[in-house]
Amino acid sequence: DGFRHYLTPEYVAGETVRVKLLTRTARGTLPEAAATEMSLPLNKRFIRPYCPGNAQVNGKRYPTVVAGEINVSWATRNRQSQTAYLVLQTEGAITPETGQTVTVRFYNENGQLARTVSGITGNATTWPLAQELGDSGLGRVNAHVKVEIEASRDGHVSWQKHVIEFDRTGYGLRYGDYYGGA
């Protein structure tokens, strides 16, 4: 604790800082020549909003298979008020920062972006079957879907995002794997 080091030069966003961590134990300090150099890109992590928590698809956390329309839900987070204790991923919503919104992206079975829903101020969004049929370009729902969930505020996007991938099932999809049901 008493061996912290603060950098005197200031760095700006987009710069990459090269650092070496020199561990100190009762046996001494690791020689600088023996330390591994690491690169740390400065991406304004402190100012970015927290990623939503408790992400679910059709009421399940990270399901392997989903039938019917895709309902995505999450619990909002707040980097300014989450200071008293560590908030579990499974906890409910915390009032988000002013101006904070959520973006959800849906990718088709070929990994291509099919739909983006942005500016969401609530805790859920839906990709209805009729919309998915139109977005997929396949004449059917996708056999596999990837969903990304992230927060944004004032042009800053959350450092991390949820990525949930799952198979789709239903009439005509994956017969033999799920027998038409989930």
Side-chain angles (χ1 to χ4, degrees):
D1 287 335
F3 300 104
R4 285 174 262 175
H5 180 72
Y6 298 96
L7 300 174
T8 43
E10 291 187 19
Y11 296 93
V12 296
E15 275 190 89
T16 299
V17 178
R18 296 185 341 247
V19 298
K20 288 185 177 186
L21 300 177
L22 307 179
T23 55
R24 182 174 286 183
T25 67
R27 296 184 70 188
T29 302
L30 179 69
E32 185 176 342
T36 304
E37 183 176 283
M38 297 181 290
S39 295
L40 176 67
L42 299 179
N43 292 317
K44 300 191 273 184
R45 186 173 182 180
F46 180 76
I47 195 132
R48 295 171 182 268
Y50 282 172
C51 179
N54 203 14
Q56 297 183 20
V57 175
N58 289 17
K60 295 180 182 175
R61 290 183 195 93
Y62 296 89
T64 55
V65 63
V66 170
E69 71 180 10
I70 299 172
N71 298 296
V72 182
S73 62
W74 57 87
T76 51
R77 299 291 185 245
N78 186 323
R79 71 180 173 90
Q80 295 175 326
S81 65
Q82 287 180 230
T83 58
Y85 70 100
L86 293 175
V87 176
L88 298 175
Q89 279 294 317
T90 55
E91 288 189 42
I94 296 171
T95 303
E97 294 179 68
T98 303
Q100 183 172 315
T101 62
V102 172
T103 298
V104 178
R105 291 182 193 85
F106 298 94
Y107 292 83
N108 66 20
E109 63 187 59
N110 298 318
Q112 299 166 327
L113 181 62
R115 176 163 297 272
T116 300
V117 184
S118 58
I120 305 168
T121 57
N123 289 45
T125 192
T126 299
W127 197 19
L129 282 172
Q131 208 171 52
E132 183 182 355
L133 284 168
D135 294 342
S136 75
L138 302 169
R140 60 171 170 75
V141 297
N142 295 282
H144 186 84
V145 172
K146 177 172 84 171
V147 177
E148 293 179 349
I149 309 164
E150 65 186 10
S152 60
R153 180 201 30 78
D154 300 330
H156 301 287
V157 179
S158 55
W159 182 259
Q160 298 169 317
K161 61 185 167 192
H162 287 280
V163 178
I164 304 171
E165 294 190 50
F166 49 88
D167 288 337
R168 302 281 278 133
T169 186
Y171 185 76
L173 277 176
R174 300 191 179 281
Y175 189 74
D177 289 338
Y178 306 107
Y179 295 100

